[in-house]
Amino acid sequence: MSAVRRLVVEADGGSRGNPGPAGYGAVVIDAATGETLAEAAEYIGVATNNVAEYRGLIAGLTAAKALFPDAVPEILVRMDSKLVVEQMSGRWKIKHPDMKPLAARAAALLPPSSVTYEWIPRAQNKHADRLANEAMDAGRDGRRWEASASTAELDAPARTPLPDRGPPGDAVAGAAKARAALAASRGGPDAGTLFEVDAGAAASEEPEPTDVTAAPQVGWAAAPDLGAPATFVLLRHGETLLTPEKRFSGSGGTDPELSAVGRDQAARAAAHFAALGTVQEIVSSPLRRCRETAAAVAERLGLDVRIDDGLRETDFGAWEGLTFGEVRERYGDDLTAWLADPETAPTGGGESFAAVAERLAATRDRLAARYAGRTALLVTHVTPIKTLVRLALEAPAQAMFRMELSAASISTVAYYGDGNASVRLLNDTSHLR
């Protein structure tokens, strides 16, 4: 009897705008040799990141199945989308209606016992990521992606054969349960066990445990040594003249400078970090109040400041410069909707909390990969800091309204190599006293 062929499928998807022009990429790899067996990529028009990621998964599994039509290979799917990995493994619910049929298509391609899922950092998914970007570039230029013109494999990290994992065991059992629930959701007697329809859910879904679970997670004592995390020290900028008046001050307003109080706060923060001696990198929002705060710390520490547009504050649209009461008076219905739904944008084309979360998640992943094992000071704003904290806690968007975040306060989140995060500090202002 011939041995079962073991394959690795790496897949990714992206959207330039979320939603915006989108594409996916997938690669099939021989687990025993590390050799690339097949590539797939396609521009899919306007879609969200999550839709593109699921399309990449479907393309990768389809390509793997086509390679061995007369046999069922054992497949390890590796993706940097924690959402797709956790949903397909049966540990998170699938609430958004756009995701449900895509997950069902992916689950129906191969027998449940033959596919397992594993999250990997973005830096380890460069081949599929490059394919997705090639597809989006082709779509932008009015072309179809052609495998013969692809250079994605040249950017892929060197691969080594995977060790024999033995019988799939509980990981596959969890995936099998998820697929059984998927089948039930298409009309079986237990329909709805896994999926909870929520037409208002964001395209980038909130992780929520499902009542169909995989094997229990190991305890802290049994967890592998993941090495030093990427540690983000999150410093809110110092006060501006708008801060004490609690006016909306985002990325679409007047870009105010620090006030005298704000400059003193920045100096105190700089002295604090100089005494600690732990900050190794400084990254700042492009807005003036953050650049000035970051510059005060950088001068004290002798470091350069890297500007990252992903750390900018929310665009509050027509609300910029107004107090909460003024917005309530002028745009009451819009404010009520904004407070109730993270996908609702402020009046006049501002940025929704869902859009901010997408932006910050991408920024987080990129910076966590860049500063793995290092401590980076991120000088940013209220909404980005609260978003990073609530994403780390896997809390709903409404949790942002339950956090206090003072001017020049310090919060800290550590990001480990397995994708988990640890909130270590929130709204510390002891250095200002």
Side-chain angles (χ1 to χ4, degrees):
M1 182 175 180
S2 60
V4 174
R5 192 67 179 263
R6 297 170 59 240
L7 304 176
V8 174
V9 169
E10 294 177 353
D12 200 7
S15 171
R16 294 170 179 172
N18 199 36
Y24 66 74
V27 56
V28 182
I29 304 157
D30 188 318
T33 65
E35 175 190 1
T36 296
L37 301 179
E39 291 179 318
E42 184 183 5
Y43 173 70
I44 59 174
V46 175
T48 65
N49 281 328
N50 294 154
V51 167
E53 288 164 347
Y54 263 109
R55 290 286 300 274
L57 169 63
I58 292 167
L61 292 175
T62 300
K65 183 178 180 180
L67 286 171
F68 302 97
D70 298 325
V72 178
E74 180 184 312
I75 296 176
L76 171 64
V77 174
R78 291 156 52 93
M79 298 180 68
D80 61 57
S81 170
K82 197 169 183 66
L83 176 92
V84 175
V85 168
E86 294 299 313
Q87 287 181 341
M88 291 304 299
S89 296
R91 291 185 289 269
W92 289 357
K93 290 182 179 179
I94 303 178
K95 296 169 62 179
H96 196 278
D98 290 348
M99 303 301 112
K100 291 174 63 178
L102 294 172
R105 283 175 59 190
L109 283 168
L110 290 158
S113 60
S114 67
V115 185
T116 56
Y117 290 85
E118 177 181 285
W119 179 88
I120 56 174
R122 186 178 299 272
Q124 295 180 23
N125 203 27
K126 288 184 177 180
H127 193 161
D129 175 76
R130 178 64 179 270
L131 288 169
N133 277 284
E134 286 183 351
M136 286 185 278
D137 290 343
R140 177 197 60 201
D141 299 337
R143 300 181 287 107
R144 289 181 60 86
W145 177 85
E146 297 290 344
S148 60
S150 175
T151 60
E153 188 168 12
L154 299 178
D155 290 340
R159 300 190 181 101
T160 57
L162 292 182
D164 191 346
R165 292 170 174 251
D170 286 341
V172 170
K177 292 179 182 179
R179 287 166 175 76
L182 276 162
S185 73
R186 296 194 291 270
D190 296 323
T193 302
L194 179 63
F195 302 119
E196 175 185 325
V197 178
D198 182 355
S204 178
E205 299 208 50
E206 298 301 326
E208 182 175 353
T210 172
D211 36 9
V212 179
T213 59
Q217 300 294 310
V218 297
W220 285 106
D225 182 3
L226 299 173
T231 301
F232 292 174
V233 179
L234 307 171
L235 174 63
R236 185 189 170 193
H237 61 79
E239 284 190 11
T240 71
L241 292 179
L242 300 180
T243 308
E245 298 179 5
K246 298 187 180 299
R247 295 185 178 274
F248 284 93
S249 182
S251 57
T254 58
D255 196 12
E257 64 182 356
L258 294 178
S259 64
V261 171
R263 289 192 292 273
D264 178 69
Q265 291 170 333
R268 289 173 182 266
H272 170 72
F273 292 123
L276 288 178
T278 54
V279 170
Q280 299 167 290
E281 311 281 350
I282 302 177
V283 187
S284 174
S285 157
L287 298 183
R288 183 174 181 178
R289 51 198 181 271
C290 286
R291 288 188 284 107
E292 290 177 345
T293 302
V297 179
E299 182 179 6
R300 188 69 181 265
L301 300 185
L303 297 174
D304 294 328
V305 177
R306 180 186 296 271
I307 302 299
D308 194 304
D309 187 63
L311 296 176
R312 70 185 185 277
E313 180 58 288
T314 307
D315 182 348
F316 290 111
W319 304 350
E320 295 280 359
L322 302 179
T323 65
F324 191 88
E326 289 169 341
V327 172
R328 172 69 75 187
E329 181 179 348
R330 301 181 194 183
Y331 309 104
D333 291 343
D334 290 352
L335 180 63
T336 299
W338 179 72
L339 292 171
D341 183 0
E343 291 199 66
T344 298
T347 308
E351 195 175 16
S352 71
F353 281 148
V356 173
E358 288 286 341
R359 166 162 58 87
L360 264 296
T363 302
R364 171 203 63 199
D365 292 347
R366 175 165 38 78
L367 295 180
R370 177 188 292 273
Y371 300 121
R374 298 179 66 78
T375 297
L377 176 68
L378 274 51
V379 185
T380 181
H381 310 263
V382 170
T383 310
I385 294 174
K386 287 185 175 182
T387 298
L388 288 171
V389 170
R390 73 101 176 162
L391 289 175
L393 295 173
E394 298 185 352
Q398 286 75 14
M400 294 175 60
F401 298 119
R402 303 292 186 265
M403 300 181 201
E404 177 69 24
L405 206 71
S406 305
S409 64
I410 298 171
S411 303
T412 305
V413 182
Y415 298 92
Y416 290 88
D418 64 349
N420 285 314
S422 173
V423 177
R424 298 182 172 181
L425 191 67
L426 179 66
N427 196 41
D428 179 22
T429 57
S430 60
H431 55 289
L432 301 178
R433 293 195 287 270

